[in-house]
Amino acid sequence: MTKILVVDDSNSIRDMVCFTLKSAGYDTVEANDGQQGLNKAKMGSFDLVISDVNMPNMDGITLCSELRKLPSFKFTPILMLTTESSGDMKQRGKAAGATGWLVKPFNPEKLIATIKRVV
Amino acid sequence: MSIDLSQFIPSFLEESFEGLELMESSLLSLEQGDTETINSIFRAAHSIKGGAGTFGFDAVTEFTHLVETLLDEMRDGRRDIAQGDIEILLDSVDCMRLLVMSIKEDTTCEDEKIIEVTAQLEATLKGSDISSIAETSNIQVNNETASDQTTWLIEFIPEHHLVKTGNDPQFLFNALADLGEVSIEANSSELPALNDMDPEELYLSWSITLVADIDIEEIKEVFEWVEDECQLTITKKQIPSSQDNNNTPQVKTDNPLLINEPSTAESTNNKQNNVQADESAPPIAKTTEPELKVKPAAATVKTTKPKADVGSIRVGVDKVDSLINLMGELVITQSMLSELGNDFDLSKVERLNRGLEQLLQNTKELQESVMRIRMLPISFAFNRFPRLIHDLSKKTGKQIELILKGEQTELDKTVMEQIGDPLVHLVRNAVDHGIESTDVRLANGKPEQGTIILNAYHQGGSIVIEISDDGGGINREAVFNKAIEKGIVDGNTSLTDSQVFDLILEPGFSTAKELSDISGRGVGMDVVKKNIQSLGGRIQIESTEGKGSTFKVHLPLTLAILDGQLVRVGSEIYIIPLITIVESLQAQSELINRVSGDMVVYRLREDNVPVLPIYQLFNLEAETKEVEGSLLVVVEAEDQKIGLMVDDLLAQQQVVIKSLNENYQQVEGISGATILGDGSVAMILDIPGIIQMAQNNALKSFNHKTDKLTYSEEVTH
């Protein structure tokens, strides 16, 4: 089963993302900030990482570049959840090795359709 | 597939309120250069905006966006943290709370304050040098309805490192296949010799033909994440469907560079041919950043929100863990007992007793753990006060320091929710009437800054919340004179200090010379007292003139369990709430007096206490019908004592309150019921209600007498 790591400091967003993914038959693991996400990533393997950008302890951009340093995450798709669709944010994500981005507010069907592009 | 997210709305709301509280308290403590605090405020606003957007709560999203923009400027150091901005942000937090509240209550929020604060925010943002609201407000709606089958030709030449970004062309092609019929040709001409090949690089390129009834944007969206890592050309070849041959192609070419529109002459369904033919289409520029955006499909999840607010509690994992542990213990005890019951003989009585003892222990611990789930630290009620003091101090011009103590003291959630307003009133009162104005304080040799202390602690089975101020204290004379003037007390009565202070809790009492904006807005201290009493609590006032006052609020820890005294009347068992009992005694005949209206009063030290036989009240057969030598339980409610006549005093124990309203109906004089150890149901007496009943009966009886009616029946029947 496709296993997805969902990293967001907002419970409700995380719940919604996970609920949506589970409804579509994906397996999810949750983390509530970048640091926790990184720890969980080191302990398991994932087919996809979806992460928020603004988080306490470790932000999503840092998480992304940390993950890319791990051999097992070299090719793993990493999607950033952002509210701003500004080019600046995308560039920062790209520079850190992110695969793509999901713009909040997200709509469930769209989310599923979008992640099909990478897993 | 439709995925309904409305079930997450309550948790979004709860999280938003938490976020708003965090924003508020952080704003109050925010100082220049404190990046961590400003970051956490920003994150809170950001989360609220994100969640609100997802559920389609546009009002919240739009408003929060402004707040977020302002915070972002502060975060980046583009804007200094000025006091004025903090005030605006605090007002914004209020507005956001109103907006979120209106979602919770499913109403539309049209508060003028929101419009006002929005304008303030916009003005502040505009005032800054950087016009940061570079929102692409000119979202053009592309109304194009592509009704024709279109053939799209896509040249996709990825850069070699593409896969290292986690993108895999295979999935992109799958996504394209979801849009319509695709045929893909791979071009391997760039493939190096095996020796030179880096296995982590991508050397292929593709040409794809897609036949689909879609817009170019939809194709671009598929390649959105890779557009910087590839050369992408999208060409269009339209094939009008046979029905509307006459129609001119409707596709608006907003950007002729992007979309190549060859003549539609070769209208044939043989796509493969088309592809070949179109290969010779003029070369086209690489796709640039799209100017026009397709309006997102209205994604507002319209749901019939379940109106019933069931509320929810966040419970610490440790509490849940301890419950699970106890459940385990209980199961072990249960299996031990059932094994014991398999072949029981008298030699095993001791083990049985041990097992039962263990069961008792387990049940008790389980009960405590379950109760603890409802317990929240009082900081939930306290954390609104820093803001309140901030506002009040600004309004009154008094300098006030607020000290919170015992914030971790736990209290039942229901009690917590209902104690909030009375506490706010008491704190307002302390600021308004307690703390003197700065010049008065200085004249009296006090520090300029007044202090208000909120303290909470456990005492026995109840929680005590203290509100102390170091203000002027209560002027005993002024209160007493005012009470005489208002006709609350008689001028000749002599009262103790605390009795005088209690007068300020009487209805119709206000010593403030004029009603101020802060306290005394119609809701008096009497309402505070009433609210506290309805929670089964009481309020106590201590005050020293010139030094300050302390209001002590005593509250039961929970409303679900009550410490009760079991009493027997005839064959019935009743429960009297322990908190109402003053004392229990055996009536001595010389202290019994009969007064008009068949009323029996008992002389208890300086008080005359009316005696109320419970058997008469509930029309029962009782053993004791004479007051002489009977057992009296003296109870007190609303400053009125009454002696309840009972047959026997039984044990004191904690009882679980079951609502009579829900299971049967309201009964006068009874506040609820409980189930006793032997399985029988016992009624819990409603002491204030019974006192009310007794007073009404006495009045009726008195009227009967004065009307010269000769009925001799017991009016209490």
Side-chain angles (χ1 to χ4, degrees):
Chain A
M1 199 151 133
T2 308
K3 205 165 146 197
I4 303 177
L5 176 65
V6 180
V7 191
D8 198 310
D9 59 327
S10 155
N11 271 330
S12 53
I13 294 280
R14 211 171 57 232
D15 284 353
M16 283 186 294
V17 172
C18 288
F19 174 77
T20 307
L21 294 175
K22 279 179 187 153
S23 315
Y26 295 105
D27 190 12
T28 62
V29 172
E30 299 178 33
N32 55 26
D33 62 41
Q35 189 57 55
Q36 209 188 62
L38 186 60
N39 294 344
K40 291 200 171 172
K42 280 176 180 165
M43 284 188 292
S45 71
F46 293 93
D47 302 297
L48 171 64
V49 180
I50 298 178
S51 171
D52 189 20
V53 176
N54 283 297
M55 289 182 293
N57 300 328
M58 184 191 283
D59 66 34
I61 302 287
T62 317
L63 170 68
C64 187
S65 47
E66 287 298 315
L67 284 176
R68 282 282 178 249
K69 290 179 194 163
L70 304 173
S72 53
F73 282 85
K74 209 165 179 179
F75 302 111
T76 308
I78 302 173
L79 301 181
M80 309 307 296
L81 270 173
T82 71
T83 32
E84 46 256 82
S85 45
S86 71
D88 172 48
M89 190 53 81
K90 288 172 188 172
Q91 280 316 317
R92 281 175 57 206
K94 280 273 174 197
T99 306
W101 52 88
L102 300 163
V103 178
K104 285 191 275 190
F106 73 87
N107 127 323
E109 285 82 8
K110 182 85 182 292
L111 177 72
I112 297 297
T114 313
I115 67 164
K116 279 202 181 130
R117 277 189 247 156
V118 287
V119 288
Chain B
M1 176 177 51
S2 166
I3 298 167
D4 183 13
L5 292 181
S6 61
Q7 55 166 310
F8 294 108
I9 292 177
S11 80
F12 160 70
L13 293 175
E14 202 172 306
E15 202 168 80
S16 299
F17 286 124
E18 276 173 23
L20 287 169
E21 263 167 34
L22 177 101
M23 285 175 76
E24 188 166 70
S25 59
S26 305
L27 280 169
L28 290 172
S29 63
L30 185 63
E31 279 162 23
Q32 194 69 44
D34 185 354
T35 36
E36 193 33 56
T37 309
I38 193 98
N39 266 332
S40 66
I41 300 172
F42 178 81
R43 277 198 299 271
H46 189 76
S47 292
I48 294 171
K49 183 176 125 182
T54 303
F55 294 117
F57 300 136
D58 294 341
V60 179
T61 318
E62 280 163 28
F63 188 86
T64 313
H65 178 74
L66 293 173
V67 178
E68 198 193 57
T69 313
L70 183 60
L71 285 167
D72 198 28
E73 288 183 10
M74 290 183 170
R75 188 173 70 145
D76 293 356
R78 276 178 288 169
R79 172 186 287 277
D80 284 342
I81 299 165
Q83 192 56 39
D85 291 344
I86 290 182
E87 295 300 334
I88 293 176
L89 285 171
L90 281 171
D91 283 341
S92 309
V93 169
D94 290 343
C95 292
M96 284 163 70
R97 193 173 280 136
L98 284 174
L99 288 165
V100 177
M101 207 51 167
S102 73
I103 295 170
K104 188 178 180 188
E105 282 160 9
D106 204 8
T107 53
T108 45
C109 187
E110 283 158 7
D111 205 289
E112 275 181 17
K113 188 169 180 196
I114 293 166
I115 301 166
E116 196 182 299
V117 178
T118 308
Q120 278 179 358
L121 277 170
E122 277 166 353
T124 313
L125 286 170
K126 235 171 247 160
S128 62
D129 296 335
I130 307 107
S131 61
S132 54
I133 338 170
E135 272 293 279
T136 45
S137 52
N138 53 340
I139 297 176
Q140 294 168 22
V141 182
N142 193 347
N143 284 323
E144 171 183 330
T145 46
S147 60
D148 301 321
Q149 283 289 78
T150 321
T151 302
W152 297 92
L153 303 174
I154 304 158
E155 282 298 323
F156 176 53
I157 309 167
E159 286 177 19
H160 292 179
H161 67 269
L162 181 88
V163 286
K164 285 188 184 156
T165 62
N167 280 300
D168 186 336
Q170 188 190 330
F171 293 116
L172 297 175
F173 302 152
N174 285 348
L176 284 177
D178 287 346
L179 297 173
E181 203 177 317
V182 286
S183 63
I184 303 160
E185 258 178 56
N187 177 358
S188 56
S189 59
E190 295 242 347
L191 209 57
L194 202 55
N195 291 346
D196 304 332
M197 206 191 297
D198 180 344
E200 294 185 359
E201 300 269 292
L202 182 65
Y203 300 100
L204 297 173
S205 61
W206 288 268
S207 22
I208 305 141
T209 317
L210 170 66
V211 182
D213 174 18
I214 51 162
D215 194 74
I216 187 165
E217 296 303 328
E218 288 179 63
I219 301 175
K220 281 205 230 158
E221 206 186 306
V222 171
F223 291 98
E224 188 186 15
W225 297 337
V226 293
E227 64 186 11
D228 294 342
E229 277 89 21
C230 71
Q231 281 179 45
L232 183 70
T233 49
I234 304 171
T235 331
K236 177 184 191 183
K237 172 134 184 77
Q238 198 188 31
I239 305 158
S241 50
S242 47
Q243 297 99 303
D244 45 22
N245 259 338
N246 301 335
N247 274 3
T248 46
Q250 296 178 350
V251 185
K252 286 183 200 151
T253 50
D254 295 66
N255 191 341
L257 271 180
L258 283 177
I259 304 160
N260 180 30
E261 201 178 345
S263 74
T264 55
E266 306 166 62
S267 65
T268 158
N269 281 329
N270 189 336
K271 293 127 202 167
Q272 218 45 39
N273 278 348
N274 255 331
V275 178
Q276 298 308 327
D278 221 59
E279 218 87 274
S280 56
I284 25 183
K286 177 178 178 283
T287 51
T288 50
E289 191 65 23
E291 270 288 51
L292 68 167
K293 288 181 180 160
V294 180
K295 189 185 183 185
T300 35
V301 192
K302 277 257 169 71
T303 46
T304 44
K305 284 178 213 144
K307 191 68 198 91
D309 180 15
V310 282
S312 61
I313 298 187
R314 281 209 181 180
V315 182
V317 179
D318 59 319
K319 291 185 180 178
V320 178
D321 283 348
S322 99
L323 264 184
I324 290 167
N325 267 338
L326 285 167
M327 245 3 264
E329 295 280 319
L330 203 61
V331 170
I332 294 169
T333 312
Q334 185 267 333
S335 63
M336 183 189 116
L337 283 173
S338 63
E339 200 185 290
L340 203 62
N342 276 344
D343 54 335
F344 188 74
D345 60 61
L346 276 180
S347 66
K348 291 178 177 165
V349 165
E350 203 184 316
R351 277 181 60 199
L352 176 69
N353 274 336
R354 258 206 322 257
L356 288 174
E357 226 162 74
Q358 206 171 322
L359 185 67
L360 179 78
Q361 187 69 25
N362 291 156
T363 323
K364 219 171 178 177
E365 281 174 13
L366 196 60
Q367 185 199 4
E368 273 166 22
S369 292
V370 173
M371 297 313 294
R372 268 183 61 208
I373 287 188
R374 291 190 58 87
M375 295 297 213
L376 294 174
I378 195 144
S379 53
F380 279 86
F382 275 6
N383 58 14
R384 67 164 107 166
F385 290 110
R387 173 73 195 278
L388 183 71
I389 295 288
H390 173 92
D391 286 359
L392 291 180
S393 134
K394 211 174 74 182
K395 227 177 250 173
T396 56
K398 297 174 183 174
Q399 291 181 34
I400 299 155
E401 186 192 9
L402 177 72
I403 300 172
L404 299 177
K405 289 182 183 168
E407 290 166 272
Q408 289 310 310
T409 314
E410 291 194 327
L411 180 63
D412 186 285
K413 187 169 186 275
T414 327
V415 183
M416 179 101 65
E417 277 162 2
Q418 293 177 40
I419 197 61
D421 287 342
L423 283 185
V424 168
H425 197 90
L426 287 172
V427 170
R428 279 171 181 271
N429 199 64
V431 173
D432 208 23
H433 306 312
I435 306 281
E436 318 91 324
S437 59
T438 316
D439 24 321
V440 176
R441 286 186 70 89
L442 288 174
N444 290 340
K446 285 184 177 180
E448 202 177 337
Q449 192 177 46
T451 309
I452 291 178
I453 302 171
L454 276 172
N455 190 10
Y457 52 89
H458 287 297
Q459 196 177 61
S462 53
I463 184 169
V464 183
I465 305 171
E466 284 182 2
I467 300 102
S468 336
D469 64 71
D470 68 344
I474 300 172
N475 185 332
R476 191 184 190 282
E477 286 307 301
V479 170
F480 193 57
N481 291 337
K482 185 75 171 270
I484 294 168
E485 186 188 312
K486 297 253 172 180
I488 298 169
V489 287
D490 190 81
N492 298 322
T493 40
S494 67
L495 296 173
T496 63
D497 279 0
S498 79
Q499 278 172 320
V500 173
F501 298 150
D502 284 346
L503 290 174
I504 66 170
L505 304 173
E506 292 300 315
F509 194 95
S510 176
T511 51
K513 285 171 196 83
E514 54 204 67
L515 290 184
S516 69
D517 182 33
I518 298 165
S519 54
R521 261 188 290 191
V523 202
M525 293 290 277
D526 57 315
V527 178
V528 172
K529 184 182 171 190
K530 223 187 211 156
N531 286 343
I532 292 169
Q533 277 177 346
S534 71
L535 285 169
R538 62 201 163 86
I539 180 166
Q540 203 183 336
I541 306 171
E542 289 162 13
S543 180
T544 316
E545 207 170 346
K547 290 270 170 62
S549 323
T550 300
F551 289 75
K552 279 189 185 179
V553 178
H554 297 253
L555 290 170
L557 280 180
T558 172
L559 298 178
I561 286 195
L562 160 141
D563 278 312
Q565 166 74 56
L566 272 58
V567 298
R568 188 174 58 81
V569 180
S571 56
E572 293 293 318
I573 290 175
Y574 290 98
I575 291 153
I576 302 175
L578 214 50
I579 193 166
T580 63
I581 298 181
V582 180
E583 63 182 286
S584 302
L585 49 88
Q586 191 150 33
Q588 292 168 0
S589 49
E590 65 269 24
L591 297 176
I592 298 168
N593 291 306
R594 286 175 200 279
V595 295
S596 59
D598 286 334
M599 181 85 117
V600 179
V601 293
Y602 189 81
R603 182 86 191 157
L604 181 70
R605 292 178 288 273
E606 69 270 26
D607 279 336
N608 276 320
V609 180
V611 172
L612 186 73
I614 292 184
Y615 78 92
Q616 281 185 16
L617 193 69
F618 294 126
N619 206 3
L620 299 164
E621 278 306 316
E623 288 162 18
T624 329
K625 300 201 172 177
E626 288 304 316
V627 183
E628 284 81 8
S630 68
L631 279 172
L632 290 184
V633 181
V634 181
V635 292
E636 184 177 15
E638 283 161 19
D639 286 334
Q640 176 69 49
K641 287 197 184 84
I642 193 168
L644 297 175
M645 200 174 113
V646 300
D647 281 353
D648 202 359
L649 285 172
L650 307 171
Q652 286 181 6
Q653 70 175 62
Q654 284 198 334
V655 295
V656 179
I657 303 171
K658 306 266 179 201
S659 162
L660 214 54
N661 261 343
E662 281 167 28
N663 298 311
Y664 176 57
Q665 64 176 56
Q666 178 80 39
V667 179
E668 216 182 347
I670 304 288
S671 65
T674 193
I675 297 165
L676 297 176
D678 62 357
S680 62
V681 174
M683 299 297 158
I684 301 166
L685 297 182
D686 169 21
I687 301 303
I690 285 182
I691 290 175
Q692 194 65 45
M693 277 166 82
Q695 278 170 348
N696 290 346
N697 286 343
L699 204 64
K700 247 191 271 168
S701 154
F702 183 71
N703 287 342
H704 274 241
K705 286 273 152 51
T706 47
D707 289 349
K708 305 260 183 269
L709 290 173
T710 49
Y711 294 123
S712 61
E713 64 173 52
E714 296 282 3
V715 231
T716 42
H717 271 208

